Amino acid sequence: MKYKNIPEEEIKNKVTRDFFQKFDCTRILGKIDFAVKLPNEEVYLLWAEAKQKPSNILVMLAHLVLTVGKARTFDEILPPLFLGCYDSEKIVFVPYSEIQDIFYQNDFNWNVAPSNPNTKEFKQVYAQVKKIVENDMPWKTWLFYFEEDERELRRFIRENFTYDADRGINPLVRPLVIDKNNFIIIYSKWLETVRPTIAVKWEKAKARGIIDGDFYLADLLSADNKTLKEKLFVLLHSHYYEFDRVIDEDDIYNSKRAEFSDNQKAHTQFWAKYARPPHEDYWDYIVERRDLLVPQDVRERKGSFFTPGIWVELSQRYIAGVFGENWQEEYYVWDCAAGTGNLLTGLTDKYNIWASTLDRQDVDVMRDRIRNGANLLEDHVFQFDFLNDDFSKLPENLQKIINDPKKRNKLIIYINPPYAEAGNSKQRTGTGENKGKTATANATYNRYKSTIGKATNELFVQFLIRIYCEIPAAKIANFSTLKNLQSSNFSDFRKIFRAKLEKIFLVPADTFDNVNGQFPIGFFVWDTKKNEEFKQIQADIFDKNGNFDGTKMIYNFDDAKPLTLFTKTGSNGNTVKIGHFAARGNDFQNQNAVFIDNQEKEKTGGGLHVTISDMNLIEVAISFAVRKVVKATWLNDRDQFLYPNEKWKTDREFQNDCLAYTLFNNNIQSKYGINHWIPFTEYQVNAREKFDSNFMTGFIEGKAISNIIAEPVLFYGNDSKTGGDGYKPQVRKFSETAKNVFRAGKELWKYYHAQPYANVNASLYDIREHFQGRNEKGKMNNKSTDEQYNELIGNLRETLKVLAAKIEPKVYEYEFLKR
């Protein structure tokens, strides 16, 4: 036995060294034990199960299949050439293509534990693997014993673990099945391989609304190089593409044609690897999800974002809740940002439904879906640029509704509009550029920018304001962020847009495609006929699975003072400058941009920048702590921090808790100047030398500054601002919870000062950097190799969590946040 009596991890290392040294075996793919890929290419050759002791190969393979199927690894990464397994004596290879059908069986529960051989699912997969290995394709199952078959094993790897220049795969392997989950991954490969060989100038084409994704669809939904769905914008005809088909003014059929620049060689080689078309059950879904093939910049501008079915269904229930269960018979519905029309799924009265979209390709997709059962009328599906076109371009019957006050009162504009804005986050913080004409190059922007100000930078607001002003009395049912209700940049918009918000629910934004942030997206039901200024509303909350999760109050903060007004600069001629406090914005989405440091540099990015001194240290500590102790979630991401009520002034324990929290949560670094933030004396931490500053311990003990540094100024711990009785030094008395933080911190400082070459003036940041080090990108590592340090810093963080939980209720009691 080649690898007898050694741990499993060591077996993996030795197998790599002995047989796969030329390959990259370092990748960790979820719970797959072993992965082999080509160096410098995202081409996997083997996913394998590994065991320490000799094991049944069928059991190992069944375990691997359940592991891969549960994680759906093949939905994110193109599958390997082989699945396999090995133990201390042998290794087995089975072509992935022979196993792949198992992953697509219906009504199978993939959520079972892959390692439990007693489940019915394990037994089912075991039987399927057994049939494949022993009956269907024994000649394609390669079993090698490491010692007896070493020469044959090396030959097998040498001959089969290759990436053929023409086909990219081993000729023994069947083409890969394409389904609704992996067609996007394959599209990314198509972009690299086929797209460059199509004789199209893509940038010019994109400017005209022609995208490469439509050519991929023509390829994908084809047999024998002929597109099977005739309504698609692009069709593949054997050796060329036809697109942009129109009937001109003279009733003459015209179209454009694109051929291949390499005699179709790359195209032929690429599609030899994949089985097309996909199963017919997937066709309508793939066409409907054309939005996933639209470049990100185009999606942002045009709003080509797919609304998840779970929220489509829920939104229609909420519309029914406001307008009655017979709303589909009693109201007209127009989706003026329809994309491929999925928001209208489930609506029943096609004679009352209109769908318009910016792209003609999407019109073609919707009409193709009509042929496959979508409940729409072809004449009610049309191309229309809502932010530019005049309403006179609308279908005649829809114009009649808009122009008739009674019918208009029965019109619901039902949309998931684009969310793009003119500036991105980098531009707003001074480190990037504006997004060009994303939201500003249209007639609606120019018409309303002087009226609603900065809000016009948001495309979804442009939809809302045009509907409100130009289709009066219509109802609006829309998805969007909460900026129109809460953001200070939207105050002018709220003065004009005075529709009554009848109902709203909130869902996590990352349940929508290509939305990565943790923030809420709301579904709003408005009645524009009712004039009402928005002040507040109780919103329903749903989790990512569509389960009701309580309610939340949403407020308009136009009349509230922001927290940025709470902390004034503490700099004047008689103060001790000890640091810099920065806070961008007043909401949770900017929580990571709240910090304290001591760097002398130009402060960029806007927001609050305050010099910290003895005059304002407590206010800074409060302002910092209340922004940090409440965990940011998708739901509170847009909640605003506010100027508090008066109660905090007499709560010394709260003030001191905030100070303790801040002392152990800052980015002070001794290399940028004197560290005034050491919360201990030299004697407490056994420092080998005197500190350059004992400012913080002096502040805590209520000493006059003149006793610590040569400046005749007192600590203003009890001034009129904090509700005290004049300019007297104040001894800071900490709660037991805060004392636990100091105790944990002191043990950490003592351990650091026991290290050789310890920096006597080290800050907490310096200590973390010393033990944790930095990676090759210069980022501080999350952990240290020093286990005692890990334990000590872990203890400190746990005490800080407890302190944060103690402070949190006061954040709401003193109205720094509204519940």
Side-chain angles (χ1 to χ4, degrees), residues 50-102:
K51 296 293 182 187
Q52 179 189 19
K53 297 179 181 180
S55 304
N56 184 305
I57 64 170
L58 297 177
V59 170
M60 288 193 286
L61 286 171
H63 186 173
L64 176 64
V65 169
L66 285 165
T67 299
V68 172
K70 182 175 184 177
R72 308 296 292 179
T73 313
F74 46 79
D75 287 346
E76 300 177 2
I77 301 170
L78 280 179
L81 192 63
F82 296 100
L83 294 181
C85 58
Y86 64 84
D87 54 32
S88 56
E89 66 176 6
K90 61 186 176 295
I91 187 167
V92 177
F93 302 91
V94 180
Y96 176 88
S97 58
E98 302 300 331
I99 295 287
Q100 64 182 346
D101 289 346
I102 297 177

Side-chain angles (χ1 to χ4, degrees), residues 667-721:
N667 294 336
I668 299 295
Q669 299 177 62
S670 60
K671 69 180 180 181
Y672 292 121
I674 296 175
N675 176 14
H676 295 293
W677 293 76
I678 304 174
F680 307 105
T681 66
E682 296 90 342
Y683 300 98
Q684 289 175 309
V685 297
N686 299 326
R688 60 185 49 152
E689 294 287 349
K690 289 281 291 179
F691 299 150
D692 288 345
S693 171
N694 294 105
F695 174 93
M696 200 56 67
T697 51
F699 183 84
I700 291 170
E701 293 169 5
K703 293 180 181 179
I705 291 182
S706 57
N707 292 339
I708 307 170
I709 59 177
E711 291 188 30
V713 182
L714 297 179
F715 289 107
Y716 295 98
N718 290 340
D719 62 17
S720 58
K721 280 188 178 181

Side-chain angles (χ1 to χ4, degrees), residues 608-619:
L608 180 69
H609 293 282
V610 172
T611 298
I612 311 170
S613 75
D614 53 295
M615 292 286 289
N616 66 352
L617 176 56
I618 292 300
E619 288 167 307

Side-chain angles (χ1 to χ4, degrees), residues 120 130 159 167 201 295 327 351 391 428 509 562 736 771 804:
K120 69 174 185 178
K130 184 174 193 252
E159 293 177 354
R167 297 190 63 198
K201 294 182 178 180
W327 70 279
Y351 296 98
F391 288 157
R428 290 192 297 272
E736 193 61 33
F771 286 109

Side-chain angles (χ1 to χ4, degrees), residues 288-329:
E288 187 180 25
R289 295 314 314 268
R290 174 187 176 270
D291 63 296
L292 297 176
L293 308 177
V294 178
Q296 181 68 17
D297 60 330
V298 177
R299 297 180 80 190
E300 289 182 342
R301 185 174 71 254
K302 297 183 177 180
S304 302
F305 288 100
F306 185 87
T307 310
I310 187 174
W311 309 136
V312 172
E313 181 181 352
L314 185 62
S315 68
Q316 292 172 11
R317 282 165 39 198
Y318 270 66
I319 295 174
V322 174
F323 300 119
E325 61 181 18
N326 296 322
W327 70 279
Q328 293 193 52
E329 292 78 37

Side-chain angles (χ1 to χ4, degrees), residues 145 167 178 384 570:
Y145 285 84
R167 297 190 63 198
I178 302 176
F384 184 76

Side-chain angles (χ1 to χ4, degrees), residues 20 92 99 127 146 167 223 293 298 348 350 360 365 373 377 392 408 429 485 492 570 575 579 583 638 660 691 729 819:
F20 298 102
V92 177
I99 295 287
F146 290 120
R167 297 190 63 198
L293 308 177
V298 177
T348 57
K350 61 185 178 182
R360 207 184 95 207
V365 167
L377 293 177
S392 61
R408 190 169 62 232
T429 57
L485 302 184
D492 289 339
T575 57
R638 297 299 193 258
F691 299 150
R819 286 196 182 277

